[in-house]
Amino acid sequence: MAAPLNAKIQDLRALVQRHKVCWEVWPEEHYRKGRGKVNIGYIIQITGTHDHPAHPPLPGCDECKAVYKKLRDIARWIIPSEQRESKYEIDMFDHALRYSPKRKFREEVTLSLKILHRGQWDNPVDACETRCLYEMEEKLAELGAHKGHGS
């Protein structure tokens, strides 16, 4: 069974290199009457670039869709497989290109992966969500993705 897992990891590592995959973490916040802003989870924003575009990247083009699908494969691999008190949501493809000064304004496709409570959705972040975040970050690093800046 180790061979297929190793092959999957190698395939994902190749995707990370080819698409210069990196990630950032943001708080998922909710405003509650009387309590103000509450951090209720995390958002892992995974970004990647076109490989060798046939044309300059255009928002929502076929190559953007292909990059998003590869980012989704990475996101699905980093999500914990066992049932936990946390749940995970992958946002839909938004047909947009983003540009970050951290990565020299390169044209990026972005996927957002949310880590939230499985039960009472607006409870403050707890140890389970934080543990899940750290585990997902470790898996991204294992694939060779860099936090904050492109490879």
Side-chain angles (χ1 to χ4, degrees), residues 77-94:
W77 185 78
I78 68 169
I79 290 174
S81 56
E82 70 276 354
Q83 180 86 6
R84 295 187 180 178
E85 293 300 313
S86 297
K87 67 177 182 176
Y88 320 100
E89 296 176 1
I90 298 173
D91 284 352
M92 294 175 49
F93 178 57
D94 65 3

Side-chain angles (χ1 to χ4, degrees), residues 27-32 38-42 115-117 120-126 129:
E28 174 71 4
E29 298 172 332
H30 176 69
Y31 290 88
R32 282 199 211 161
V38 178
N39 185 5
I40 63 168
Y42 299 103
I115 305 169
L116 302 165
H117 292 285
Q120 184 66 32
W121 67 272
D122 62 347
N123 281 341
V125 166
D126 63 19
E129 291 160 331

Side-chain angles (χ1 to χ4, degrees), residues 69-135:
K69 287 178 184 175
K70 292 170 185 174
L71 295 176
R72 190 178 57 208
D73 290 343
I74 292 168
R76 286 180 176 159
W77 185 78
I78 68 169
I79 290 174
S81 56
E82 70 276 354
Q83 180 86 6
R84 295 187 180 178
E85 293 300 313
S86 297
K87 67 177 182 176
Y88 320 100
E89 296 176 1
I90 298 173
D91 284 352
M92 294 175 49
F93 178 57
D94 65 3
H95 296 77
L97 288 171
R98 294 198 169 66
Y99 306 85
S100 172
K102 289 181 184 179
R103 292 177 292 278
K104 300 179 182 176
F105 298 99
R106 69 183 192 176
E107 296 163 319
E108 300 175 326
V109 176
T110 302
L111 174 144
S112 292
L113 168 60
K114 294 181 182 179
I115 305 169
L116 302 165
H117 292 285
R118 184 172 297 284
Q120 184 66 32
W121 67 272
D122 62 347
N123 281 341
V125 166
D126 63 19
C128 180
E129 291 160 331
T130 301
R131 180 179 135 216
C132 292
L133 171 65
Y134 291 143
E135 288 175 7

